[in-house]
């Protein structure tokens, strides 16, 4: 993530607009982004630096940065700083794809971190989702996916252990669960339920977002033949992702 050199005259870009001060700050930052002076991953000057350079109050600067983060133009990473966002990644609403392939198709680099990987007994909710009896074995993986080192998805996945008995033996930093499951239980049917949510504190920490930032939740179930294979929760920061769908009548 590149760090900007000292900015000597940001105030020169504010102009004489009659807009409120916070809006003028947003206009200035937008101009820097659109001109290419501040490319994706560029570290935006800190609140203190902007206060010093522009002569506005911290409250004004904070509001401008918060609004631009909510609009998806900036990414604020806890303890690191504020950066110019990549154009929003997108997924097909009615299709199921490998996230690693989606990221590669944009010319970007995919990496992931396996937070946990283990086995547990299916509770009532999980048993219903996977069409099994309560207490049967299910595998559970929690993985964070990164696009150019920025976290873009939490994959919280439960897997029918009878269908993919070697799931826990896989190294999911080398291939995604989707890629592995496509080999052992090819997808024949899928179901998506999409919700807007506020992520839990632990999820905010994993995604490196501030508490209260809206997120996009996709609840996904997949089948191979007539057998349910997985039930997953896919959580995306709302500022870094969008869904697209196309249909005909």
């Amino acid at each position: 993530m590149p760090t900007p050199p000292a900015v000597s005259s940001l105030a020169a870009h504010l102009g004489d607009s009659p807009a409120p001060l916070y809006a003028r700050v947003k206009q200035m930052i937008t101009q820097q982004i659109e001109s290419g002076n501040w490319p994706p991953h560029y570290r935006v000057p800190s609140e203190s630096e902007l206060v010093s350079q522009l002569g506005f109050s911290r409250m004004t600067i904070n509001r401008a940065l918060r609004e631009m983060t909510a609009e998806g133009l900036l990414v604020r990473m806890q303890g690191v700083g504020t950066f110019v966002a990549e154009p929003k990644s997108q997924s097909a609403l009615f299709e199921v794809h490998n996230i690693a392939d989606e990221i590669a198709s944009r010319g970007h680099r995919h990496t992931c971190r396996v937070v946990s990987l283990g086995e547990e007994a299916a509770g009532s909710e999980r048993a219903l989702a996977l069409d099994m009896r309560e207490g049967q074995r299910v595998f559970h993986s929690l993985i964070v996916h990164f696009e150019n080192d920025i976290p873009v998805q939490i994959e919280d996945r439960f897997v029918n252990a009878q269908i993919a008995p070697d799931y826990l033996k896989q190294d999911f930093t080398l291939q995604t669960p989707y890629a592995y499951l496509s080999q052992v239980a090819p997808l024949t049917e899928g179901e998506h339920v999409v919700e807007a949510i506020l992520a839990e504190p632990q999820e905010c920490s994993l995604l490196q977002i501030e508490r209260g930032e809206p997120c996009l939740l996709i609840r996904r179930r997949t089948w191979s033949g007539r057998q349910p294979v997985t039930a997953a929760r896919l959580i995306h920061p709302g500022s870094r992702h969008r869904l697209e769908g196309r249909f005909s009548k």
Side-chain angles (χ1 to χ4, degrees):
M1 297 179 183
T3 301
V7 183
S8 58
S9 57
L10 279 179
H13 296 277
L14 288 171
D16 299 318
S17 169
L21 295 182
Y22 77 88
R24 293 172 62 190
V25 174
K26 290 174 64 176
Q27 291 170 359
M28 179 276 294
I29 295 175
T30 299
Q31 181 181 358
Q32 294 296 310
I33 294 172
E34 291 180 347
S35 69
N37 290 334
W38 292 6
H41 307 302
Y42 195 91
R43 189 183 72 81
V44 175
S46 68
E47 288 187 14
S48 297
E49 290 169 332
L50 289 173
V51 168
S52 174
Q53 293 165 12
L54 301 179
F56 294 158
S57 71
R58 182 176 290 273
M59 184 180 300
T60 295
I61 300 300
N62 179 268
R63 178 172 178 179
L65 295 179
R66 280 192 293 108
E67 290 194 4
M68 295 191 75
T69 299
E71 293 164 4
L73 293 173
L74 301 179
V75 175
R76 306 188 79 174
M77 301 178 69
Q78 294 174 336
V80 180
T82 301
F83 301 86
V84 176
E86 283 275 2
K88 284 190 178 183
S89 61
Q90 62 188 51
S91 298
L93 177 58
F94 305 117
E95 300 175 7
V96 178
H97 293 296
N98 185 356
I99 186 171
D101 293 340
E102 288 185 359
I103 291 172
S105 71
R106 295 190 282 272
H108 295 167
R109 181 169 56 89
H110 168 266
T111 55
C112 72
R113 177 162 73 92
V114 179
V115 178
S116 63
L117 180 64
E119 177 184 321
E120 58 190 73
S124 58
E125 179 182 355
R126 215 65 60 205
L128 180 63
L130 293 174
D131 192 23
M132 59 173 52
R133 298 189 308 274
E134 287 189 46
Q136 280 190 273
R137 288 192 316 149
V138 293
F139 298 140
H140 182 200
S141 58
L142 183 64
I143 298 173
V144 182
H145 295 279
F146 296 79
E147 182 168 351
N148 291 346
D149 297 323
I150 294 178
V152 293
Q153 184 194 86
I154 293 174
E155 175 189 329
D156 186 9
R157 183 186 294 269
F158 290 86
V159 178
N160 187 327
Q162 292 182 333
I163 296 177
D166 293 329
Y167 188 78
L168 300 185
K169 299 177 183 178
Q170 308 309 307
D171 183 350
F172 290 124
T173 64
L174 300 180
Q175 68 171 341
T176 64
Y178 173 92
Y180 169 69
L181 291 168
S182 294
Q183 298 168 13
V184 300
L187 172 71
T188 58
E189 186 177 351
E191 172 188 272
H192 279 166
V193 178
V194 182
E195 301 176 47
I197 64 166
L198 295 178
E200 296 295 328
Q202 180 194 15
E203 295 165 342
C204 291
S205 177
L206 291 174
L207 291 171
Q208 299 177 19
I209 59 176
E210 296 183 352
R211 294 189 185 185
E213 179 175 334
C215 290
L216 187 68
L217 168 64
I218 302 173
R219 298 183 187 274
R220 174 185 294 169
R221 289 198 296 162
T222 59
W223 286 260
S224 184
R226 295 185 177 183
Q227 293 182 302
V229 178
T230 70
R233 296 172 70 251
L234 309 175
I235 303 173
H236 303 261
S239 60
R240 303 175 198 166
H241 195 75
R242 70 182 182 190
L243 287 173
E244 289 193 353
R246 181 175 180 176
F247 58 92
S248 58
K249 191 172 180 180

